[in-house]
Amino acid sequence: MQIPDFMMKIPLTVIHYSDEDPRTTKGGVQSFAKSLKLVFNEVEFMTPEDRDFDYLIRHKIPVICDNQRVVDLPRNFPVIGFQHGVGAVKFSVTHSRGHRRLARAQKRAAKRDNTLWVACAEWIATTFGRLYGNYAKYIIYHPIDVDLFDGRLENEGSRLILHDARTKHKGRDLLRKVEAAFPEWQFEPLDCKPDQVPDRMRKARAFIHLSRYEGNSIVCNEAMAMNLPCLFTKVGLMRDRNRPSDIYLVDPDKIYNNREYLLEQVHLFLTSVDSRPYHPRAWVLENATASISQTKWMRVMVHFQQMSGWNLGLSED
Protein backbone atom coordinates (compact mmCIF):
# COMPACT_ATOMS: atom_id res chain seq x y z
CA MET A 1 0.00 0.00 0.00
CA GLN A 2 1.21 3.49 -0.79
CA ILE A 3 0.10 6.82 0.59
CA PRO A 4 -0.79 9.22 -2.25
CA ASP A 5 1.91 11.72 -3.22
CA PHE A 6 -0.01 14.67 -1.79
CA MET A 7 0.19 13.13 1.68
CA MET A 8 3.32 13.39 3.79
CA LYS A 9 4.19 10.65 6.22
CA ILE A 10 4.83 11.61 9.83
CA PRO A 11 8.56 12.53 9.86
CA LEU A 12 9.57 10.09 12.57
CA THR A 13 11.30 6.77 13.05
CA VAL A 14 9.33 4.45 15.34
CA ILE A 15 9.94 0.93 16.57
CA HIS A 16 7.26 -1.73 16.75
CA TYR A 17 7.91 -4.17 19.62
CA SER A 18 6.03 -7.49 19.82
CA ASP A 19 6.50 -11.23 20.23
CA GLU A 20 6.97 -12.01 16.54
CA ASP A 21 8.93 -10.38 13.73
CA PRO A 22 6.39 -9.24 11.11
CA ARG A 23 8.97 -9.70 8.36
CA THR A 24 9.06 -13.47 8.89
CA THR A 25 5.71 -14.36 10.50
CA LYS A 26 2.03 -13.77 9.76
CA GLY A 27 -0.86 -12.62 11.92
CA GLY A 28 -3.01 -9.67 12.86
CA VAL A 29 -0.38 -7.97 15.02
CA GLN A 30 2.21 -8.48 12.30
CA SER A 31 -0.10 -6.97 9.66
CA PHE A 32 -0.65 -3.99 11.93
CA ALA A 33 3.09 -3.58 12.43
CA LYS A 34 3.74 -3.52 8.70
CA SER A 35 0.91 -1.05 8.14
CA LEU A 36 2.78 1.49 10.27
CA LYS A 37 5.02 1.99 7.24
CA LEU A 38 2.07 3.79 5.68
CA VAL A 39 2.17 6.40 8.41
CA PHE A 40 5.77 6.94 9.54
CA ASN A 41 8.92 7.71 7.58
CA GLU A 42 10.76 4.74 9.07
CA VAL A 43 9.54 1.72 11.02
CA GLU A 44 11.93 -0.70 12.70
CA PHE A 45 10.95 -3.97 14.30
CA MET A 46 12.09 -5.44 17.59
CA THR A 47 11.18 -8.61 19.47
CA PRO A 48 12.19 -10.07 22.85
CA GLU A 49 14.79 -12.10 20.96
CA ASP A 50 16.67 -9.12 19.52
CA ARG A 51 15.74 -6.20 21.75
CA ASP A 52 18.23 -3.43 22.43
CA PHE A 53 16.83 -1.10 25.05
CA ASP A 54 20.09 0.86 25.32
CA TYR A 55 19.60 1.77 21.65
CA LEU A 56 16.06 3.00 22.33
CA ILE A 57 17.07 5.05 25.34
CA ARG A 58 20.15 6.53 23.69
CA HIS A 59 18.28 7.69 20.58
CA LYS A 60 14.88 8.38 22.23
CA ILE A 61 12.97 6.46 19.59
CA PRO A 62 9.21 6.15 20.17
CA VAL A 63 8.11 2.55 20.68
CA ILE A 64 4.68 1.25 19.65
CA CYS A 65 4.35 -1.87 21.75
CA ASP A 66 1.98 -4.81 21.63
CA ASN A 67 -0.19 -4.35 24.76
CA GLN A 68 1.14 -6.87 27.28
CA ARG A 69 4.77 -6.34 26.22
CA VAL A 70 4.92 -2.81 27.65
CA VAL A 71 6.20 -4.30 30.92
CA ASP A 72 9.39 -5.42 29.17
CA LEU A 73 10.63 -1.87 28.74
CA PRO A 74 12.36 0.09 31.53
CA ARG A 75 9.78 1.77 33.77
CA ASN A 76 11.11 5.27 33.19
CA PHE A 77 10.94 4.86 29.41
CA PRO A 78 7.75 6.28 27.85
CA VAL A 79 5.93 3.88 25.53
CA ILE A 80 2.81 3.63 23.39
CA GLY A 81 0.82 0.51 24.25
CA PHE A 82 -1.44 -0.75 21.46
CA GLN A 83 -4.53 -2.74 22.43
CA HIS A 84 -5.36 -5.28 19.72
CA GLY A 85 -7.83 -7.32 21.75
CA VAL A 86 -8.90 -8.28 25.25
CA GLY A 87 -7.31 -11.49 26.51
CA ALA A 88 -9.91 -11.94 29.26
CA VAL A 89 -12.75 -11.88 26.73
CA LYS A 90 -10.88 -14.19 24.37
CA PHE A 91 -10.20 -16.65 27.19
CA SER A 92 -13.91 -16.70 28.08
CA VAL A 93 -14.51 -18.02 24.56
CA THR A 94 -11.57 -20.34 23.94
CA HIS A 95 -10.69 -21.45 27.51
CA SER A 96 -7.12 -21.97 26.35
CA ARG A 97 -4.18 -21.75 28.73
CA GLY A 98 -2.39 -19.44 26.34
CA HIS A 99 -5.24 -16.95 26.36
CA ARG A 100 -5.48 -17.18 30.16
CA ARG A 101 -1.79 -16.23 30.34
CA LEU A 102 -2.48 -13.42 27.89
CA ALA A 103 -5.27 -12.08 30.09
CA ARG A 104 -3.03 -12.10 33.15
CA ALA A 105 -0.23 -10.39 31.25
CA GLN A 106 -2.57 -7.66 30.02
CA LYS A 107 -3.83 -7.08 33.57
CA ARG A 108 -0.23 -6.56 34.74
CA ALA A 109 0.54 -4.33 31.75
CA ALA A 110 -2.43 -2.08 32.54
CA LYS A 111 -0.70 -0.95 35.74
CA ARG A 112 2.40 0.34 33.96
CA ASP A 113 2.95 4.08 34.32
CA ASN A 114 4.44 6.19 31.54
CA THR A 115 2.25 4.45 28.95
CA LEU A 116 0.02 6.04 26.33
CA TRP A 117 -2.72 3.61 25.37
CA VAL A 118 -4.16 3.31 21.86
CA ALA A 119 -6.78 0.76 20.68
CA CYS A 120 -7.94 -0.52 17.31
CA ALA A 121 -11.62 -0.52 18.30
CA GLU A 122 -13.82 1.35 20.75
CA TRP A 123 -15.09 -1.81 22.44
CA ILE A 124 -11.51 -2.77 23.29
CA ALA A 125 -10.75 0.60 24.87
CA THR A 126 -14.00 0.53 26.83
CA THR A 127 -13.48 -3.04 28.06
CA PHE A 128 -9.93 -2.38 29.25
CA GLY A 129 -11.15 0.75 31.00
CA ARG A 130 -13.82 -1.23 32.82
CA LEU A 131 -11.59 -4.18 33.70
CA TYR A 132 -8.27 -2.54 34.52
CA GLY A 133 -8.63 1.22 34.30
CA ASN A 134 -6.39 1.72 31.23
CA TYR A 135 -8.95 3.12 28.82
CA ALA A 136 -7.36 4.06 25.49
CA LYS A 137 -7.98 7.70 24.65
CA TYR A 138 -7.20 7.13 20.96
CA ILE A 139 -9.04 4.72 18.66
CA ILE A 140 -7.30 3.99 15.34
CA TYR A 141 -8.95 1.45 13.06
CA HIS A 142 -6.64 -0.70 10.95
CA PRO A 143 -5.99 1.13 7.66
CA ILE A 144 -6.98 -0.72 4.50
CA ASP A 145 -5.39 -0.13 1.12
CA VAL A 146 -8.51 1.01 -0.73
CA ASP A 147 -6.58 1.19 -4.01
CA LEU A 148 -5.63 -2.48 -3.70
CA PHE A 149 -8.97 -3.54 -2.22
CA ASP A 150 -10.73 -1.36 -4.76
CA GLY A 151 -14.28 -2.73 -4.70
CA ARG A 152 -14.14 -3.74 -8.36
CA LEU A 153 -15.76 -7.15 -8.29
CA GLU A 154 -15.62 -9.64 -11.15
CA ASN A 155 -18.13 -12.09 -9.74
CA GLU A 156 -21.00 -12.25 -12.21
CA GLY A 157 -22.57 -15.69 -11.79
CA SER A 158 -20.10 -16.64 -9.05
CA ARG A 159 -21.18 -19.20 -6.45
CA LEU A 160 -18.01 -18.78 -4.39
CA ILE A 161 -18.40 -17.86 -0.72
CA LEU A 162 -15.10 -17.12 1.00
CA HIS A 163 -14.43 -17.55 4.71
CA ASP A 164 -11.56 -17.47 7.19
CA ALA A 165 -12.63 -20.29 9.49
CA ARG A 166 -9.14 -21.43 10.40
CA THR A 167 -9.88 -22.47 13.99
CA LYS A 168 -12.79 -23.68 16.08
CA HIS A 169 -13.55 -20.26 17.55
CA LYS A 170 -13.46 -18.74 14.05
CA GLY A 171 -16.23 -21.05 12.88
CA ARG A 172 -14.41 -24.07 11.48
CA ASP A 173 -17.01 -26.56 12.73
CA LEU A 174 -19.93 -24.32 11.77
CA LEU A 175 -18.70 -24.06 8.18
CA ARG A 176 -18.86 -27.84 7.84
CA LYS A 177 -22.57 -27.73 8.72
CA VAL A 178 -23.15 -24.82 6.36
CA GLU A 179 -21.33 -26.53 3.47
CA ALA A 180 -23.45 -29.66 3.90
CA ALA A 181 -26.69 -27.66 4.02
CA PHE A 182 -26.01 -25.50 0.94
CA PRO A 183 -24.33 -27.70 -1.71
CA GLU A 184 -25.32 -25.27 -4.47
CA TRP A 185 -22.77 -22.79 -3.10
CA GLN A 186 -19.00 -23.19 -3.17
CA PHE A 187 -17.51 -22.45 0.27
CA GLU A 188 -13.73 -22.00 0.32
CA PRO A 189 -11.20 -20.71 2.87
CA LEU A 190 -9.26 -17.56 2.12
CA ASP A 191 -6.06 -19.59 2.05
CA CYS A 192 -3.56 -17.73 -0.10
CA LYS A 193 -0.60 -15.36 0.04
CA PRO A 194 -1.41 -11.83 1.30
CA ASP A 195 -0.77 -10.24 -2.10
CA GLN A 196 -3.30 -12.64 -3.68
CA VAL A 197 -6.17 -11.76 -1.32
CA PRO A 198 -7.68 -8.87 -3.36
CA ASP A 199 -7.99 -10.93 -6.55
CA ARG A 200 -9.28 -13.91 -4.60
CA MET A 201 -12.01 -11.72 -3.12
CA ARG A 202 -12.70 -10.12 -6.48
CA LYS A 203 -14.06 -13.43 -7.82
CA ALA A 204 -16.22 -14.23 -4.78
CA ARG A 205 -19.95 -13.65 -4.38
CA ALA A 206 -19.79 -13.00 -0.64
CA PHE A 207 -17.70 -13.34 2.52
CA ILE A 208 -18.72 -15.11 5.73
CA HIS A 209 -16.98 -14.80 9.10
CA LEU A 210 -18.59 -16.86 11.88
CA SER A 211 -16.17 -16.00 14.67
CA ARG A 212 -16.88 -16.11 18.41
CA TYR A 213 -14.16 -13.57 19.18
CA GLU A 214 -12.28 -10.82 17.37
CA GLY A 215 -10.43 -7.68 18.34
CA ASN A 216 -10.81 -5.89 15.02
CA SER A 217 -10.50 -8.36 12.17
CA ILE A 218 -8.37 -7.04 9.32
CA VAL A 219 -9.69 -9.63 6.86
CA CYS A 220 -13.26 -8.51 7.57
CA ASN A 221 -12.26 -4.91 6.87
CA GLU A 222 -10.62 -6.02 3.63
CA ALA A 223 -13.78 -7.87 2.55
CA MET A 224 -15.83 -4.75 3.26
CA ALA A 225 -13.37 -2.58 1.34
CA MET A 226 -13.81 -4.97 -1.58
CA ASN A 227 -17.56 -4.25 -1.33
CA LEU A 228 -18.46 -7.90 -0.86
CA PRO A 229 -21.74 -8.81 0.82
CA CYS A 230 -20.62 -9.81 4.31
CA LEU A 231 -22.15 -11.99 7.01
CA PHE A 232 -20.47 -11.30 10.36
CA THR A 233 -21.06 -12.25 13.95
CA LYS A 234 -21.52 -9.41 16.43
CA VAL A 235 -18.00 -9.55 17.81
CA GLY A 236 -14.95 -7.28 17.61
CA LEU A 237 -15.50 -4.13 15.57
CA MET A 238 -19.15 -5.07 15.19
CA ARG A 239 -19.61 -4.21 18.89
CA ASP A 240 -18.59 -0.58 18.37
CA ARG A 241 -21.18 2.21 18.32
CA ASN A 242 -19.65 3.26 15.01
CA ARG A 243 -19.80 -0.24 13.55
CA PRO A 244 -20.52 -0.88 9.87
CA SER A 245 -24.22 -1.06 9.11
CA ASP A 246 -24.45 -2.35 5.54
CA ILE A 247 -23.66 -5.94 6.48
CA TYR A 248 -25.62 -8.99 7.66
CA LEU A 249 -25.05 -9.35 11.40
CA VAL A 250 -25.88 -12.41 13.55
CA ASP A 251 -25.67 -13.33 17.22
CA PRO A 252 -22.57 -15.49 17.88
CA ASP A 253 -24.04 -17.33 20.88
CA LYS A 254 -27.13 -18.33 18.94
CA ILE A 255 -25.31 -19.64 15.88
CA TYR A 256 -22.92 -21.67 18.03
CA ASN A 257 -25.69 -23.19 20.15
CA ASN A 258 -28.57 -23.52 17.70
CA ARG A 259 -28.02 -25.32 14.39
CA GLU A 260 -31.44 -24.32 13.07
CA TYR A 261 -30.75 -20.63 13.74
CA LEU A 262 -27.34 -20.91 12.06
CA LEU A 263 -28.72 -22.44 8.88
CA GLU A 264 -31.74 -20.13 8.82
CA GLN A 265 -29.52 -17.04 9.04
CA VAL A 266 -27.10 -18.29 6.40
CA HIS A 267 -30.05 -19.07 4.12
CA LEU A 268 -31.47 -15.57 4.58
CA PHE A 269 -28.07 -14.04 3.90
CA LEU A 270 -27.41 -16.09 0.77
CA THR A 271 -30.88 -15.19 -0.52
CA SER A 272 -30.23 -11.52 0.16
CA VAL A 273 -27.03 -11.30 -1.91
CA ASP A 274 -29.13 -11.60 -5.06
CA SER A 275 -32.06 -9.52 -3.86
CA ARG A 276 -30.46 -6.40 -2.30
CA PRO A 277 -27.30 -4.36 -2.83
CA TYR A 278 -24.55 -4.33 -0.19
CA HIS A 279 -22.10 -1.43 -0.01
CA PRO A 280 -19.88 -1.95 3.08
CA ARG A 281 -16.97 -0.23 1.33
CA ALA A 282 -18.48 3.14 2.27
CA TRP A 283 -17.74 2.51 5.97
CA VAL A 284 -14.09 1.73 5.21
CA LEU A 285 -13.70 4.89 3.13
CA GLU A 286 -15.11 6.95 6.01
CA ASN A 287 -13.23 5.26 8.86
CA ALA A 288 -10.29 3.06 7.88
CA THR A 289 -8.09 4.50 5.14
CA ALA A 290 -4.38 5.29 5.32
CA SER A 291 -4.99 9.04 5.38
CA ILE A 292 -7.45 8.76 8.28
CA SER A 293 -5.00 6.56 10.18
CA GLN A 294 -2.19 9.03 9.57
CA THR A 295 -4.20 11.96 10.92
CA LYS A 296 -5.04 10.05 14.09
CA TRP A 297 -1.47 8.84 14.58
CA MET A 298 -0.25 12.43 14.36
CA ARG A 299 -2.49 13.31 17.31
CA VAL A 300 -1.09 10.36 19.23
CA MET A 301 2.50 11.36 18.55
CA VAL A 302 1.91 14.99 19.56
CA HIS A 303 0.44 13.67 22.82
CA PHE A 304 3.41 11.34 23.21
CA GLN A 305 5.81 14.24 22.65
CA GLN A 306 4.14 16.15 25.47
CA MET A 307 4.03 13.13 27.79
CA SER A 308 7.66 12.13 27.22
CA GLY A 309 9.14 15.61 27.15
CA TRP A 310 11.05 14.61 24.01
CA ASN A 311 11.31 17.14 21.22
CA LEU A 312 10.10 15.19 18.22
CA GLY A 313 9.64 18.30 16.11
CA LEU A 314 5.87 17.86 15.89
CA SER A 315 3.09 20.41 16.21
CA GLU A 316 -0.68 20.09 16.37
CA ASP A 317 -1.07 22.26 13.23
Side-chain angles (χ1 to χ4, degrees), residues 276-293:
R276 56 154 287 192
Y278 283 90
H279 299 291
R281 177 177 172 82
W283 185 92
V284 177
L285 294 177
E286 293 174 4
N287 296 275
T289 65
S291 60
I292 293 170
S293 180

Side-chain angles (χ1 to χ4, degrees), residues 7-240:
M7 296 172 57
M8 297 295 291
K9 293 183 182 181
I10 298 174
L12 290 176
T13 294
V14 299
I15 287 180
H16 182 268
Y17 179 67
S18 63
D19 284 332
E20 305 290 344
D21 189 329
R23 294 165 296 189
T24 57
T25 60
K26 294 191 298 183
V29 174
Q30 294 92 318
S31 294
F32 161 78
K34 289 186 287 188
S35 76
L36 293 174
K37 289 177 177 261
L38 304 172
V39 176
F40 298 97
N41 266 358
E42 297 289 340
V43 181
E44 300 177 13
F45 304 109
M46 191 177 291
T47 72
E49 298 297 321
D50 61 6
R51 65 193 186 193
D52 185 349
F53 293 153
D54 289 339
Y55 171 72
L56 301 179
I57 295 170
R58 186 167 61 253
H59 295 282
K60 292 185 176 179
I61 302 176
V63 175
I64 299 171
C65 185
D66 188 12
N67 193 340
Q68 62 279 3
R69 281 293 176 184
V70 298
V71 297
D72 291 3
L73 285 91
R75 291 186 178 182
N76 62 346
F77 188 84
V79 65
I80 298 168
F82 199 91
Q83 299 169 342
H84 288 278
V86 185
V89 177
K90 194 168 189 176
F91 172 67
S92 72
V93 170
T94 67
H95 304 292
S96 84
R97 292 181 180 179
H99 294 150
R100 180 170 58 185
R101 289 194 296 270
L102 174 65
R104 291 173 176 173
Q106 289 182 345
K107 184 177 181 178
R108 290 194 299 271
K111 300 176 182 178
R112 186 188 190 275
D113 294 328
N114 224 8
T115 306
L116 177 59
W117 293 102
V118 181
C120 64
E122 182 189 25
W123 85 268
I124 295 173
T126 301
T127 305
F128 273 119
R130 175 174 54 82
L131 291 176
Y132 311 129
N134 62 330
Y135 176 86
K137 180 177 180 180
Y138 298 97
I139 310 298
I140 305 179
Y141 294 130
H142 297 306
I144 302 301
D145 185 345
V146 293
D147 292 324
L148 192 60
F149 293 87
D150 55 17
R152 298 173 183 172
L153 298 173
E154 299 172 3
N155 62 355
E156 185 70 28
S158 173
R159 306 300 287 176
L160 173 62
I161 307 296
L162 289 176
H163 64 83
D164 192 38
R166 290 169 286 132
T167 62
K168 183 177 180 179
H169 84 265
K170 287 186 179 289
R172 181 188 60 205
D173 296 343
L174 298 187
L175 255 298
R176 293 170 181 162
K177 298 175 184 177
V178 169
E179 288 174 339
F182 302 97
E184 68 275 21
W185 292 91
Q186 182 181 353
F187 295 88
E188 293 185 6
L190 189 61
D191 186 15
C192 59
K193 295 179 180 179
D195 61 355
Q196 297 173 337
V197 172
D199 284 336
R200 185 100 164 92
M201 287 185 171
R202 200 179 306 281
K203 305 295 184 182
R205 187 67 186 89
F207 183 79
I208 288 181
H209 198 59
L210 303 178
S211 178
R212 292 197 70 185
Y213 170 87
E214 295 293 334
N216 179 358
S217 169
I218 293 176
V219 70
C220 288
N221 290 340
E222 291 172 342
M224 289 193 297
M226 208 63 204
N227 228 21
L228 281 171
C230 293
L231 185 157
F232 295 149
T233 45
K234 192 177 180 180
V235 298
L237 174 65
M238 306 309 145
R239 297 174 60 179
D240 276 20

